[in-house]
Amino acid sequence: MKLALIGAGRIGKVHAQAIHSHPDVTLAAIADFHHSAAEALAIQYASYATTVDNIFADDTIDAVLIASSTPTHAEYLERAARAGKAILCEKPIALDLARTRDALQVLSEHPVTCALGFNRRHDPQFAALKHAIVQGRLGVLETLTIISRDPSPPPAEYVANSGGLFRDMMIHDLDMARWLLNEPIESVFAAGSCLIDPAIGEAGDVDTAMVTLATASGKLCQISNSRRASYGYDQRIEAFGSQGMLQAQNESDTRLRFTGEAGQVEEKPKCFFLERYADAYRLEISDFVNAWQTKCPPLAGAQDGLEALRLADAAERSLQEGRKILLDTTL
Amino acid sequence: MKLALIGAGRIGKVHAQAIHSHPDVTLAAIADFHHSAAEALAIQYASYATTVDNIFADDTIDAVLIASSTPTHAEYLERAARAGKAILCEKPIALDLARTRDALQVLSEHPVTCALGFNRRHDPQFAALKHAIVQGRLGVLETLTIISRDPSPPPAEYVANSGGLFRDMMIHDLDMARWLLNEPIESVFAAGSCLIDPAIGEAGDVDTAMVTLATASGKLCQISNSRRASYGYDQRIEAFGSQGMLQAQNESDTRLRFTGEAGQVEEKPKCFFLERYADAYRLEISDFVNAWQTKCPPLAGAQDGLEALRLADAAERSLQEGRKILLDTTL
Amino acid sequence: MKLALIGAGRIGKVHAQAIHSHPDVTLAAIADFHHSAAEALAIQYASYATTVDNIFADDTIDAVLIASSTPTHAEYLERAARAGKAILCEKPIALDLARTRDALQVLSEHPVTCALGFNRRHDPQFAALKHAIVQGRLGVLETLTIISRDPSPPPAEYVANSGGLFRDMMIHDLDMARWLLNEPIESVFAAGSCLIDPAIGEAGDVDTAMVTLATASGKLCQISNSRRASYGYDQRIEAFGSQGMLQAQNESDTRLRFTGEAGQVEEKPKCFFLERYADAYRLEISDFVNAWQTKCPPLAGAQDGLEALRLADAAERSLQEGRKILLDTTL
Amino acid sequence: MKLALIGAGRIGKVHAQAIHSHPDVTLAAIADFHHSAAEALAIQYASYATTVDNIFADDTIDAVLIASSTPTHAEYLERAARAGKAILCEKPIALDLARTRDALQVLSEHPVTCALGFNRRHDPQFAALKHAIVQGRLGVLETLTIISRDPSPPPAEYVANSGGLFRDMMIHDLDMARWLLNEPIESVFAAGSCLIDPAIGEAGDVDTAMVTLATASGKLCQISNSRRASYGYDQRIEAFGSQGMLQAQNESDTRLRFTGEAGQVEEKPKCFFLERYADAYRLEISDFVNAWQTKCPPLAGAQDGLEALRLADAAERSLQEGRKILLDTTL
């Protein structure tokens, strides 16, 4: 696969490395709003820096990885679809439903392989959890508890343009809930507080939130988010069913344990998503290439982005209105 | 302390053993609706079987432990208070708030040491958790996640008279939430399903529930309950704050670990409350005796029973009405 | 069983409490070199203080528990045997083999139930380990690794009369090795150092030691001892076989875990043998009573004391002579 | 660095991948006794296949990685040294001391950067263990317990040419002991059995062994080896000192835990060295490149190979002669 990377920022660099290590992908071109950033990355990976327009015009390019700033995702996705290129798009497609639906419409008219960057689905531990559920290890899945905490809150200016905690942060957990519950979610209830940084509250957002989801068959899911954890990146899921419980636990750099006067001490969890999901980013590329080669759907697609956003919107509305929001599951 | 035990059933026997092992308490008398049960227990512990009336009439008896059937609690509690005896009463005082308030009224007119059997407050691990929070180990406490699952659902006939999952089972978790959050709870939202036994649903109850609590200062708490866990009694609490996280984990009989082809296997959690809270029942007696001797309040009192019941009622109402319930925190 | 306790010191008190909590045993009398110690304990447990002579002369007494100072064990054991009383004797019978053999000779002439206080065999975790091995969980047992460390070294004057690390401390591990390996030990090699307290070295002893045992069939066992562990009492056994590994791990007071900037912290192991083996002491009494009632042999008997002492002597000799010691397995 | 790889077998492939992922190293050439193996690997990594002679004659090549069969190591190492190339040589240099000493003599006459493939020193967990010891986390290091078990025994024909368990397998543990103890080892005692495969015994070797090392200052170390573990590759080290204990634990693919009727189950350890030490092989290349660039010694050098072999020889002799072997620490 000849792949072009759009976006050479933090997440673009992560993808560039993952692309480089994949034997079947050539990093054919890199574009960035800051051309010098594209150039620097191109030198590092023996690629070449160009413009977005050139990428879409280049018929030798099979695929694009959209890792530019959020407001550009939907447009690039549509242009890529129209150009007949396979797409791996960082989440979200857009921060509002209408724009997201427009992009999906274009995709339906120009069907190309389109994967969405819900990186956690590719995490080996969460994938093993999913696999075990599908294999029936739990009997019937009944409840989920998802705990997800960032190491430290983003700056208030970031918060202002992020779409809020539910669309920016919890959307990953909402996607995990959808993926693991594997049936339509019927209701959403959200509680939230600003406990960490008053500036986040002033920006109209919360930094601490808990959400309850219920499916039509009565499966329940709790999500707990915090924008700050003194001990690092906290990413855990507990799935409970008629025959047992599965727990995806935090990972740390090593398993070294010290026992002394203060007790038995193991390392804290990995510090943030780049460290915790390093393998996931590599596997995401593999899944994308495989989907493109086999014409099978990727592990997460554009529709999953839409659905997660619907849940995030509902959670936001639940918090604003102080009530449970019912979702239309006939869509 | 000369103590009389009212109730010689399952929980009465647990208390009899705990009383016997306490050096400062004499098990002076035992009464039970089934006199033969009282007699059998009296023989075992060198006590003597009598009637409830005799117990209340006996001025040499300092205290009563009320472990009879739930509908009798409030009356015996009032009679004990009027007789000037210290009281350790199994929870609940009553299944409805009005009856509970009446009993508290009698207690306020006849002030005696009155402890309520919220056994979990006495569990060494939960007590250590509380202690660590009070000592500031977490910085500011922000969220709680309480997971509590019984090994197997009760018979439907039990469910019918139990007051429902919130009053019968989750009330312990609601008390833990109150105790650990240590500030008034302002709102309650409940979701619930009948996933395990249809007979429970037919009895008008749920067997799976999730509740979200919020305090005035914005602290949040999630509780997850299930009436059945294939692996035993699941009793865990996670407290999260500005400086870290505390996790009370399940306990098992031994720490023996087997590693073989199937992986690394440790024992499942202790099977039910008698096993998990054996120490807690002993420490509950100690706390009661100490409260009586020092005139300090016991770790859990009648007012705690009332407050937990208010939360359980609110959760029930939230489930019925499908909405968040606001609580009057000025009471 | 009417049982008399000889010895009201630290270990005597532990046994008194265990006896008290056993429903079928009456603590009929207590004797101690310091009569006042016997009196104090007698008051606490509603027993009565008397002399050793009276105990042996009292035909109503079924059994004696010998918890006096080590040099008196063999004589009291012989007197008890001659008086036809069941015996639970603290280890060791004596610090030298000849004296031990004499005592066993008296026992063979006066067969009574005689249990030896190898408390670890009664520890629920080690018992579960033994049970799992016997049940074939490991397939064929091949190797053992035993790690045993005291929290802090004893005073040098204790060391001088203790018989040395191998007879005083490692003898417990040697007994565990014999019990778990369950076949004659053919060779012993010891290495040792004085790393903790020079006074121990001056007393002719070591405070750090490693021993290797081999059985006739080629099973191997390593024991590692230290007289000091900054984190408490370290008591672990790893058994390895053709189908897996079993690990008996340290136990702590609670399972509470704190995660913060410094990592994930659990409690250190229980501080010393009274805490770690509290259950074992209770179960030791039960086993003794059961052996007496059923005429079955107790879990550890006088012969086990002799065999462990032979191994300790061999280890001591190996260290002195710097060579492997072969044991006569035809005895 | 322009590096040539000699040996395109199993371990050669591991190194090729590690070299490929290092940004500062070019895999300039590959040679193998089976030229087709070299060609296949050359195609995969865009390198070219050639002969050993060509490699040593090529002045543009900075370094060689010797991953050919053991009997060729010493000769290639000498040729590389004489050609002035930096060397990363798989262990062992040779299976006998004399040949090893000859090679070291050549190295002393032709000083080049020479790293030896003791991969475990590069394992992040063992490196963290070493670092913590050096930082004084344990106070004074006193004892080590090293447990190392392969998943399954090699074929008897491999055993026959392997140099035996001590030189082939335990040599890694002996190197870890040297590295962590960080002082001369004065005595070695070995016990060994053939418990797994009689063919190994017939080949004159053991499959189960325990070794005790002592240093001049009295530090003690136990090593336990088995050629078969039903649960995978078992690689653990416990270091104990005056202020605590450090335990390097087994690693598994994920931290997923299942709790059900059979208990709490986590994954078994990684299956073998390629999986467990994947990171170590990458870091070994980094260390080698860094040593070459900075002229600092690599983490493990030729002398370390000689010293570990001396210990393995002593262990072998100890087993044969049934006695402790004293080592000359003045060398």
Side-chain angles (χ1 to χ4, degrees):
Chain A
M1 172 191 276
K2 286 190 69 181
L3 185 146
L5 173 65
I6 303 177
R10 183 173 64 167
I11 193 69
K13 286 174 185 164
V14 171
H15 287 301
Q17 184 170 18
I19 292 162
H20 173 73
S21 74
H22 193 292
D24 297 347
V25 186
T26 306
L27 182 48
I30 304 175
D32 193 277
F33 181 78
H34 301 288
H35 191 68
S36 60
E39 282 178 324
L41 207 56
I43 289 166
Q44 189 176 347
Y45 290 104
S47 181
Y48 90 103
T50 183
T51 65
V52 171
D53 289 344
N54 284 346
I55 285 171
F56 288 124
D58 184 344
D59 283 349
T60 70
I61 287 177
D62 303 306
V64 295
L65 195 164
I66 303 170
S68 45
S69 64
T70 295
T72 66
H73 288 186
E75 181 201 335
Y76 291 161
L77 187 148
E78 291 171 355
R79 291 180 64 183
R82 290 190 172 110
K85 298 191 188 312
I87 302 162
L88 170 49
C89 183
E90 261 304 315
K91 53 123 293 227
I93 296 173
L95 286 172
D96 66 292
L97 279 175
R99 186 68 193 89
T100 305
R101 286 202 179 97
D102 287 347
L104 264 72
Q105 180 61 30
V106 174
L107 277 173
S108 73
E109 293 159 7
H110 302 271
V112 294
T113 292
C114 179
L116 197 71
F118 278 132
N119 56 336
R120 293 186 200 175
R121 293 195 184 196
H122 303 279
D123 175 69
Q125 190 173 182
F126 293 148
L129 171 67
K130 170 73 175 174
H131 182 72
I133 292 171
V134 169
Q135 295 287 311
R137 192 96 196 261
L138 293 180
V140 179
L141 174 67
E142 294 170 352
T143 66
L144 285 182
T145 299
I146 301 179
I147 290 177
S148 174
R149 295 168 184 142
D150 280 354
S152 52
E157 54 269 33
Y158 172 91
V159 168
N161 298 309
S162 68
L165 179 142
F166 298 105
R167 291 185 196 87
D168 177 57
M169 179 179 175
M170 195 184 280
I171 197 158
H172 281 289
D173 306 299
L174 294 165
D175 179 63
M176 291 309 284
R178 284 191 63 245
W179 187 50
L180 296 172
L181 290 169
N182 203 29
E183 60 178 51
I185 288 163
E186 203 175 60
S187 71
V188 178
F189 174 79
S193 306
C194 182
L195 301 176
I196 299 164
D197 183 354
I200 291 175
E202 285 156 24
D205 201 2
V206 292
D207 50 33
T208 304
M210 286 182 168
V211 157
T212 306
L213 309 173
T215 71
S217 76
K219 297 186 199 317
L220 302 177
C221 171
Q222 286 180 321
I223 300 171
S224 178
N225 272 185
S226 173
R227 284 284 198 184
R228 179 256 299 114
S230 64
Y231 47 82
Y233 193 43
D234 194 350
Q235 298 281 292
R236 287 171 291 143
I237 300 179
E238 176 173 320
F240 174 78
S242 57
Q243 288 173 23
M245 164 171 70
L246 283 158
Q247 293 170 295
Q249 305 183 89
N250 281 320
E251 294 172 6
S252 49
D253 286 343
T254 84
R255 299 293 312 273
L256 191 65
R257 177 194 287 169
F258 174 72
T259 305
E261 276 206 41
Q264 307 182 54
V265 189
E266 299 204 18
E267 283 177 15
K268 57 187 176 183
K270 294 197 174 194
C271 56
F272 206 10
F273 70 98
L274 295 181
E275 292 77 13
R276 167 61 191 268
Y277 295 124
D279 284 341
Y281 285 110
R282 281 193 284 272
L283 292 164
E284 190 176 65
I285 297 292
S286 291
D287 175 69
F288 176 56
V289 173
N290 183 62
W292 176 73
Q293 288 172 338
T294 64
K295 311 295 170 206
C296 293
L299 197 52
Q303 186 68 30
D304 296 307
L306 180 71
E307 296 295 337
L309 186 57
R310 283 181 68 221
L311 293 176
D313 277 9
E316 174 78 26
R317 196 143 61 90
S318 172
L319 181 67
Q320 302 298 345
E321 303 180 7
R323 64 182 188 87
K324 181 168 81 172
I325 302 297
L326 298 179
L327 290 165
D328 185 348
T329 58
T330 63
L331 290 182
Chain B
M1 174 191 276
K2 286 190 69 180
L3 185 147
L5 173 65
I6 302 178
R10 184 173 64 166
I11 193 68
K13 285 173 185 163
V14 170
H15 287 302
Q17 185 171 16
I19 293 163
H20 173 73
S21 75
H22 194 292
D24 297 347
V25 185
T26 307
L27 182 48
I30 304 175
D32 194 277
F33 181 78
H34 301 287
H35 192 67
S36 60
E39 281 177 323
L41 208 57
I43 289 166
Q44 190 177 346
Y45 289 104
S47 182
Y48 89 104
T50 183
T51 65
V52 170
D53 290 344
N54 284 347
I55 286 171
F56 289 124
D58 184 344
D59 283 350
T60 70
I61 287 176
D62 302 307
V64 294
L65 195 164
I66 302 170
S68 47
S69 64
T70 294
T72 65
H73 289 185
E75 181 201 335
Y76 291 161
L77 186 148
E78 291 171 354
R79 290 180 67 182
R82 290 190 172 112
K85 298 189 188 311
I87 302 162
L88 171 48
C89 183
E90 261 304 314
K91 54 125 291 228
I93 296 172
L95 286 172
D96 66 291
L97 279 175
R99 187 68 190 88
T100 305
R101 287 201 179 97
D102 287 347
L104 264 71
Q105 180 62 29
V106 174
L107 277 173
S108 73
E109 292 160 8
H110 302 272
V112 295
T113 293
C114 179
L116 197 71
F118 278 133
N119 56 336
R120 292 184 200 174
R121 293 196 183 196
H122 303 279
D123 175 69
Q125 190 173 183
F126 292 147
L129 170 65
K130 170 73 175 175
H131 182 72
I133 293 171
V134 170
Q135 295 287 311
R137 191 96 195 260
L138 294 180
V140 179
L141 174 67
E142 294 170 352
T143 66
L144 284 183
T145 299
I146 301 178
I147 290 177
S148 174
R149 295 168 184 142
D150 281 353
S152 52
E157 53 270 33
Y158 171 91
V159 167
N161 299 309
S162 70
L165 179 141
F166 298 105
R167 290 185 196 89
D168 177 56
M169 180 180 175
M170 195 183 281
I171 197 159
H172 281 289
D173 306 299
L174 294 166
D175 179 63
M176 291 310 283
R178 284 190 64 243
W179 187 50
L180 296 172
L181 291 169
N182 203 28
E183 59 178 51
I185 289 163
E186 203 175 60
S187 71
V188 178
F189 173 79
S193 306
C194 182
L195 299 175
I196 299 164
D197 183 355
I200 291 175
E202 285 156 23
D205 201 2
V206 291
D207 51 33
T208 305
M210 287 184 169
V211 157
T212 306
L213 309 174
T215 72
S217 76
K219 297 187 199 316
L220 303 176
C221 171
Q222 286 180 320
I223 300 171
S224 178
N225 272 184
S226 173
R227 284 286 198 183
R228 179 257 299 113
S230 64
Y231 48 83
Y233 193 44
D234 194 350
Q235 298 281 292
R236 286 171 292 143
I237 300 178
E238 176 173 319
F240 174 78
S242 56
Q243 288 173 22
M245 164 171 69
L246 282 158
Q247 293 170 296
Q249 305 183 91
N250 281 320
E251 294 172 6
S252 49
D253 286 343
T254 83
R255 299 293 313 273
L256 192 65
R257 176 194 288 169
F258 174 72
T259 305
E261 277 207 38
Q264 307 182 53
V265 189
E266 298 204 19
E267 285 177 14
K268 57 186 174 183
K270 294 197 173 195
C271 57
F272 206 10
F273 70 98
L274 296 182
E275 292 77 15
R276 166 62 192 267
Y277 294 123
D279 284 341
Y281 285 112
R282 281 193 283 273
L283 293 164
E284 189 176 66
I285 296 291
S286 291
D287 176 67
F288 175 55
V289 173
N290 183 63
W292 176 72
Q293 287 170 339
T294 64
K295 310 296 169 203
C296 293
L299 197 52
Q303 186 68 30
D304 296 307
L306 180 71
E307 295 295 337
L309 185 58
R310 283 181 69 221
L311 293 175
D313 277 9
E316 174 78 24
R317 196 142 61 91
S318 172
L319 182 67
Q320 301 298 346
E321 303 179 6
R323 63 180 187 89
K324 180 169 80 173
I325 302 296
L326 298 180
L327 290 164
D328 186 346
T329 58
T330 62
L331 290 183
Chain C
M1 173 191 275
K2 287 190 68 180
L3 184 147
L5 173 65
I6 302 177
R10 183 173 65 166
I11 194 69
K13 285 172 185 166
V14 171
H15 287 301
Q17 185 170 16
I19 293 163
H20 173 72
S21 74
H22 194 291
D24 297 346
V25 186
T26 306
L27 182 48
I30 304 175
D32 193 276
F33 180 77
H34 301 288
H35 191 67
S36 59
E39 282 178 324
L41 207 56
I43 288 167
Q44 189 177 348
Y45 290 103
S47 180
Y48 90 103
T50 184
T51 64
V52 171
D53 289 345
N54 284 346
I55 285 171
F56 289 124
D58 184 344
D59 283 350
T60 70
I61 287 177
D62 301 306
V64 295
L65 195 164
I66 302 170
S68 46
S69 64
T70 294
T72 65
H73 288 185
E75 181 202 334
Y76 291 160
L77 186 149
E78 290 172 354
R79 289 180 65 182
R82 289 190 172 112
K85 299 191 188 309
I87 302 162
L88 171 48
C89 183
E90 262 303 316
K91 55 123 291 229
I93 296 172
L95 285 172
D96 66 291
L97 280 175
R99 185 68 192 88
T100 306
R101 287 201 179 98
D102 288 348
L104 265 73
Q105 180 61 31
V106 173
L107 277 172
S108 72
E109 292 160 7
H110 303 272
V112 294
T113 293
C114 180
L116 197 70
F118 278 132
N119 55 335
R120 292 185 199 174
R121 292 195 183 197
H122 303 278
D123 175 68
Q125 190 173 183
F126 293 146
L129 170 66
K130 170 72 177 177
H131 182 73
I133 292 171
V134 170
Q135 294 288 310
R137 192 96 195 261
L138 293 180
V140 178
L141 174 67
E142 294 170 353
T143 65
L144 285 182
T145 300
I146 300 177
I147 290 177
S148 175
R149 295 168 184 143
D150 282 352
S152 52
E157 53 270 33
Y158 172 90
V159 168
N161 298 308
S162 68
L165 179 142
F166 298 104
R167 289 185 197 88
D168 177 56
M169 179 179 176
M170 194 182 282
I171 197 159
H172 281 289
D173 306 298
L174 293 166
D175 179 63
M176 292 309 283
R178 283 190 65 243
W179 188 50
L180 296 172
L181 291 169
N182 203 27
E183 59 178 52
I185 289 163
E186 203 174 62
S187 70
V188 178
F189 174 79
S193 305
C194 182
L195 300 175
I196 299 164
D197 184 354
I200 291 176
E202 284 156 23
D205 201 3
V206 291
D207 50 34
T208 304
M210 287 182 167
V211 156
T212 306
L213 309 174
T215 71
S217 75
K219 296 186 199 317
L220 303 176
C221 171
Q222 286 181 320
I223 300 171
S224 178
N225 273 186
S226 172
R227 284 284 198 184
R228 180 256 300 113
S230 64
Y231 47 82
Y233 193 44
D234 195 349
Q235 298 281 293
R236 288 171 291 144
I237 300 179
E238 176 173 320
F240 174 79
S242 56
Q243 289 173 24
M245 164 170 71
L246 283 158
Q247 292 170 296
Q249 303 182 91
N250 281 320
E251 295 172 5
S252 48
D253 286 343
T254 83
R255 298 292 312 271
L256 192 64
R257 177 195 288 170
F258 174 73
T259 305
E261 276 206 40
Q264 308 183 54
V265 189
E266 298 204 20
E267 284 176 15
K268 57 187 175 182
K270 294 198 173 193
C271 58
F272 206 9
F273 69 99
L274 295 182
E275 292 77 14
R276 166 64 192 267
Y277 294 122
D279 284 342
Y281 285 111
R282 281 193 284 273
L283 292 163
E284 189 176 67
I285 297 292
S286 292
D287 176 67
F288 175 56
V289 173
N290 182 63
W292 176 72
Q293 287 170 339
T294 63
K295 310 295 169 205
C296 292
L299 198 52
Q303 185 70 28
D304 296 306
L306 179 71
E307 295 296 337
L309 186 58
R310 283 181 68 220
L311 293 175
D313 277 9
E316 174 78 25
R317 197 142 62 92
S318 172
L319 182 67
Q320 302 298 346
E321 303 179 7
R323 64 181 187 89
K324 180 167 81 171
I325 302 296
L326 298 179
L327 289 164
D328 186 347
T329 58
T330 61
L331 289 183
Chain D
M1 172 192 277
K2 288 190 67 181
L3 184 146
L5 173 65
I6 303 177
R10 183 173 64 165
I11 194 68
K13 286 173 185 165
V14 171
H15 287 302
Q17 185 171 16
I19 292 162
H20 174 72
S21 75
H22 194 291
D24 297 347
V25 185
T26 306
L27 182 48
I30 304 176
D32 193 277
F33 180 77
H34 301 286
H35 191 67
S36 60
E39 282 177 323
L41 207 57
I43 288 166
Q44 189 177 348
Y45 289 104
S47 182
Y48 91 104
T50 184
T51 64
V52 171
D53 290 344
N54 285 345
I55 286 171
F56 289 124
D58 183 345
D59 283 350
T60 70
I61 287 176
D62 302 307
V64 295
L65 196 164
I66 302 170
S68 47
S69 64
T70 295
T72 66
H73 289 185
E75 181 201 334
Y76 290 161
L77 187 148
E78 291 171 355
R79 290 179 65 181
R82 289 188 173 114
K85 300 190 187 312
I87 303 162
L88 170 48
C89 183
E90 263 303 316
K91 55 122 293 226
I93 297 172
L95 286 171
D96 65 291
L97 279 175
R99 187 68 192 87
T100 306
R101 287 202 179 99
D102 287 348
L104 264 72
Q105 179 61 30
V106 173
L107 277 172
S108 72
E109 292 160 8
H110 303 271
V112 294
T113 292
C114 180
L116 198 69
F118 278 132
N119 56 335
R120 293 185 199 173
R121 292 194 184 198
H122 303 278
D123 175 69
Q125 191 173 182
F126 293 147
L129 170 67
K130 170 73 177 176
H131 182 71
I133 292 171
V134 170
Q135 294 288 311
R137 192 96 195 261
L138 294 180
V140 178
L141 174 67
E142 294 169 353
T143 66
L144 285 182
T145 299
I146 300 177
I147 290 177
S148 175
R149 294 169 184 142
D150 281 352
S152 52
E157 53 270 34
Y158 172 90
V159 168
N161 298 309
S162 69
L165 179 142
F166 298 104
R167 289 185 197 88
D168 177 56
M169 178 180 176
M170 194 182 282
I171 196 159
H172 281 289
D173 307 299
L174 294 166
D175 179 62
M176 291 308 283
R178 283 191 64 244
W179 188 49
L180 296 172
L181 290 169
N182 204 28
E183 58 178 54
I185 289 165
E186 202 175 61
S187 70
V188 178
F189 173 81
S193 306
C194 182
L195 300 175
I196 299 164
D197 183 355
I200 292 176
E202 284 155 24
D205 201 2
V206 292
D207 51 33
T208 304
M210 287 183 167
V211 156
T212 306
L213 309 174
T215 71
S217 76
K219 296 186 199 318
L220 303 177
C221 171
Q222 285 181 320
I223 300 171
S224 177
N225 272 186
S226 172
R227 284 285 198 183
R228 180 254 301 113
S230 64
Y231 48 82
Y233 193 44
D234 194 350
Q235 298 281 293
R236 288 171 290 143
I237 300 179
E238 176 173 320
F240 174 79
S242 57
Q243 288 173 23
M245 164 170 70
L246 282 158
Q247 293 170 296
Q249 304 183 91
N250 282 319
E251 293 172 6
S252 49
D253 286 343
T254 83
R255 298 294 312 271
L256 192 64
R257 178 195 287 171
F258 174 71
T259 305
E261 276 207 41
Q264 307 183 53
V265 189
E266 299 204 18
E267 284 178 13
K268 57 187 175 182
K270 294 197 172 193
C271 58
F272 206 10
F273 69 99
L274 296 182
E275 292 77 14
R276 166 64 192 267
Y277 294 123
D279 284 341
Y281 285 111
R282 281 192 284 274
L283 293 164
E284 189 175 68
I285 297 292
S286 292
D287 176 68
F288 175 56
V289 174
N290 184 63
W292 176 72
Q293 288 171 338
T294 64
K295 310 295 169 205
C296 293
L299 198 51
Q303 185 69 30
D304 296 307
L306 178 72
E307 296 295 337
L309 185 58
R310 282 181 68 220
L311 292 175
D313 278 9
E316 174 79 25
R317 197 143 61 92
S318 173
L319 181 68
Q320 302 298 346
E321 303 180 6
R323 63 182 187 87
K324 180 168 82 172
I325 302 297
L326 298 180
L327 290 164
D328 186 347
T329 59
T330 61
L331 289 183

